[in-house]
Amino acid sequence: MKTVRELFSELDDWKAYKPSSTMSSIAKSNHIIRLKQEIKNRIDVEEYKDYILLKEER
């Protein structure tokens, strides 16, 4: 299982990737969606509640 740090690194790599075809573009989108979901599933919202609420106020 990858660490959250590794998932973020992979997400950054996929965001920087420049697809050369429609299929590559679809694959890029799917990987980004999957990685974001996996990161969301691994983060405890309650632990970061104060930060999230503070961010919303700005």
Side-chain angles (χ1 to χ4, degrees), residues 33-48:
I33 290 168
R34 181 186 58 79
L35 285 166
K36 284 182 175 181
Q37 189 60 45
E38 191 170 344
I39 291 167
K40 287 175 188 175
N41 290 340
R42 302 274 298 278
I43 294 175
D44 179 13
V45 176
E46 290 296 323
E47 186 175 338
Y48 297 98

Side-chain angles (χ1 to χ4, degrees), residues 1 8 11 16 22 27 30 32 34 37 40 52 57-58:
M1 181 175 272
F8 273 115
L11 179 61
T22 302
N30 288 338
I32 289 173
R34 181 186 58 79
Q37 189 60 45
K40 287 175 188 175
I52 294 167
E57 292 174 3
R58 293 181 182 178

Side-chain angles (χ1 to χ4, degrees), residues 14-29:
W14 274 106
K15 284 182 175 180
Y17 172 70
K18 302 288 186 226
S20 58
S21 69
T22 302
M23 290 303 290
S24 294
S25 182
I26 292 169
K28 175 185 175 179
S29 296

